[in-house]
């Protein structure tokens, strides 16, 4: 994984073509990059992020930001109630309780 300006890039090797290629994971838009060496790949990743940010600026659009920590989640009402009750029993907010449960599985 590559990191730059808060964005993450995933890299794979295409051994048949002899090239590394990657994609920025944090965006709804598709932003890719490639290189034949690690240095070339890292530079292409950074250039792709910078190009994406410049493109958004030119169009007057806000670029997608890396994850904000907000997650909209729809649950069946009964499951929502059960989670709320468990959180209350543990003296936590529902957000904190769900966050703790997700941290247990990661």
């Amino acid at each position: 994984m590559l990191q730059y300006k808060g964005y993450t890039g995933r890299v794979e090797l295409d051994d048949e073509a002899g090239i590394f290629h990657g994609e920025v994971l944090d965006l709804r838009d598709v932003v890719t990059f490639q290189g034949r060496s690690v240095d070339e790949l890292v530079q292409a990743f950074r250039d792709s992020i910078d190009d994406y940010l410049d493109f958004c600026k030119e169009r007057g659009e806000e670029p997608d930001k890396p994850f904000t920590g907000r997650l909209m989640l729809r649950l069946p009402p009964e499951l929502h109630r059960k989670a709320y009750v468990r959180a209350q029993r543990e003296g936590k907010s529902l957000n904190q309780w769900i966050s703790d449960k997700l941290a247990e599985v990661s």
Side-chain angles (χ1 to χ4, degrees), residues 21-46:
H21 62 91
E23 182 175 354
V24 179
L25 300 177
D26 312 277
L27 308 174
R28 287 185 295 249
D29 296 311
V30 177
V31 177
T32 61
F33 52 96
Q34 64 183 29
R36 293 199 177 277
S37 70
V38 173
D39 290 339
E40 191 176 304
L41 180 74
V42 169
Q43 188 59 54
F45 171 64
R46 291 177 178 171

Side-chain angles (χ1 to χ4, degrees), residues 39-66:
D39 290 339
E40 191 176 304
L41 180 74
V42 169
Q43 188 59 54
F45 171 64
R46 291 177 178 171
D47 290 345
S48 291
I49 295 295
D50 290 337
D51 290 346
Y52 168 73
L53 295 173
D54 289 343
F55 178 74
C56 290
K57 186 176 181 180
E58 288 173 15
R59 293 187 60 170
E61 297 175 356
E62 278 295 313
D64 281 344
K65 301 285 186 194

